[in-house]
Amino acid sequence: MILVLNAGSSSLKVEVFTSDLTSVLSGAVTSIGTDGAIKLGDETVRTKTANHADALAQMLDALAHAGITLDKLTAAAHRVVHGGTILTQPARVTPQVIAAIESAIPLAPLHNPNNLAAMLALQAVAPGLPQYASFGTAFHATNPAVATRYAIPQTEHDAGIRRYGFHGLSYAGMVASFGTALPARLLALHLGNGASLCAIKDGRSIATSMGYSPLSGLTMGTRSGDIDGAAVLRISAALGEDETDRMLNKNSGLKALGGDNDMRSLLNRHDAEAAFAVDHFCYWAARHAGSAIVAMGGVDAVAFTGGIGENAAPVRDKIMAFLACFGDVPVHIIAADEEKQIARDALTLMGPA
Ligand code: AMP
């Protein structure tokens, strides 16, 4: 069995898979660092965890109680948000890989340290257990330089100011789920609280709407999506860096336009403010879709995933109405399963049993 770990800023999610990628059990520790809960399967127990290492120890205990002891695991596989420019493929966790994840901390200061903490804590309690890592940015490593380069001086580019793209595990999982039926030019939209889209040509990402960080591109639940750098400078001069960061990442998007970051609630309301927020979301998704379609030289199919993409038919319909100018394109709805993709990556690296 493979234990997939996703260490977020204050949570640790786990899912256990068999070697044929069947999910056996999933759970999470929430509110790490304070009074939180540990949930495994249908059971939830309130608990207090000091840090990610402590959360992992408590989760391993809970798994053991559920019959999944460490000796039953053949590998652990981690989700790492940012692989930087070095980690462009899933990898076995080695000292070199740990150093590369550390070197990408400036690019994902809230996420990569937690991913590392989970790896090191697991290594300490299970030194013989092979560990693997999949990177949220890696799928976009195939984007051409013309797509990843910002038109700014080389020194800044060399310092890491370039487009990376995110949601890569979701897109890689989508490609895997199409199998041999994968369309040559696929417009993929991951629409959840975070939202992005990706031009996938012959199974490879060639353009994506997120850039240096997950802030850019589409209108999102609480993130602004694209905004002119000069506007950011002016807001920052008035409010300071931290408050600007909070505004653009946590208090913008649907929340700013509709007073609610939840698409389902917005669709259930019938006032002008909610309608405008939904229209803004769909319009900008379609504007970015046009750009991605041009990068692919056309489009053979569109695929939606994520909480909104999978469930919000009115949103899909509005976006597809804009895209009608590209002809009658087949639409697919694919369940996002990043954990399964992480397990799949680890199995591929492990090779035949
Ligand atoms: P995610 O980040 O992928 O979990 O997606 C969260 C978003 O999906 C929220 O905006 C939810 O309101 C939205 N969502 C989930 N289910 C539905 C639904 N049935 N109809 C509309 N939106 C939904």
Side-chain angles (χ1 to χ4, degrees):
M1 285 188 283
I2 296 176
L3 174 66
V4 172
L5 298 116
N6 180 357
S9 44
S10 64
S11 68
L12 175 70
K13 293 190 199 140
V14 301
E15 189 162 350
V16 179
F17 290 89
T18 60
S19 55
D20 64 359
L21 290 176
T22 305
S23 174
V24 179
L25 191 59
S26 61
V29 183
T30 52
S31 301
I32 293 174
T34 168
D35 290 327
I38 179 161
K39 185 175 181 301
L40 192 60
D42 297 329
E43 277 197 37
T44 303
V45 180
R46 299 216 63 79
T47 187
K48 188 171 187 147
T49 48
N51 50 37
H52 280 77
D54 188 20
L56 177 71
Q58 293 198 27
M59 180 53 88
L60 291 177
D61 273 352
L63 284 166
H65 274 111
I68 301 172
T69 44
L70 278 174
D71 59 301
K72 300 235 169 67
L73 299 176
T74 46
H78 300 260
R79 178 200 181 137
V80 178
V81 167
H82 215 305
T85 50
I86 303 169
L87 298 161
T88 57
Q89 286 185 23
R92 173 126 187 212
V93 175
T94 61
Q96 290 80 6
V97 166
I98 287 182
I101 297 170
E102 272 170 355
S103 74
I105 286 177
L107 299 166
L110 299 179
H111 291 101
N112 277 24
N114 300 321
N115 303 143
L116 276 170
M119 271 173 214
L120 297 173
L122 189 57
Q123 209 167 59
V125 293
L129 184 68
Q131 297 196 54
Y132 298 88
S134 294
F135 306 94
T137 48
F139 186 67
H140 305 295
T142 46
N143 283 9
V146 72
T148 56
R149 178 74 193 253
Y150 288 123
I152 57 174
Q154 184 74 36
T155 45
E156 297 303 328
H157 177 79
D158 293 344
I161 311 291
R162 42 156 285 175
R163 285 172 167 275
Y164 295 92
F166 297 86
H167 287 146
L169 296 166
S170 171
Y171 294 126
M174 184 185 273
V175 167
S177 74
F178 271 102
T180 52
L182 182 73
R185 295 169 302 180
L186 177 66
L187 173 73
L189 297 101
H190 180 114
L191 308 179
N193 204 22
S196 74
L197 57 78
C198 181
I200 302 177
K201 193 170 184 191
D202 300 322
R204 290 149 65 99
S205 169
I206 62 159
T208 189
S209 60
M210 283 177 173
Y212 174 73
S213 82
L215 178 63
S216 68
L218 279 59
T219 304
M220 306 185 212
T222 62
R223 292 175 227 155
S224 63
D226 277 359
I227 174 167
D228 190 316
V232 177
L233 287 175
R234 182 170 161 196
I235 297 168
S236 188
L239 299 182
E241 210 178 299
D242 289 350
E243 194 50 44
T244 306
D245 186 339
R246 205 169 8 256
M247 176 200 280
L248 295 175
N249 280 296
K250 305 242 184 271
N251 292 320
S252 292
L254 297 175
K255 188 176 174 185
L257 300 174
D260 194 329
N261 68 326
D262 192 271
M263 181 59 86
R264 191 177 355 202
S265 316
L266 290 169
L267 289 170
N268 285 335
R269 270 167 48 191
H270 294 285
D271 55 283
E273 190 192 38
F276 181 75
V278 174
D279 283 348
H280 197 279
F281 183 92
C282 298
Y283 171 88
W284 282 102
R287 284 272 302 259
H288 287 286
S291 163
I293 290 169
V294 166
M296 291 189 288
V299 59
D300 300 310
V302 176
F304 288 95
T305 192
I308 298 172
E310 291 167 39
N311 300 300
V315 170
R316 288 196 303 267
D317 292 348
K318 271 182 197 284
I319 294 171
M320 290 313 297
F322 281 109
L323 301 185
C325 60
F326 294 104
D328 193 12
V329 184
V331 175
H332 302 265
I333 298 162
I334 312 253
D337 197 344
E338 295 169 273
E339 280 71 23
K340 189 172 180 176
Q341 180 59 26
I342 296 164
R344 186 183 286 120
D345 285 342
L347 279 169
T348 306
L349 286 167
M350 288 158 78

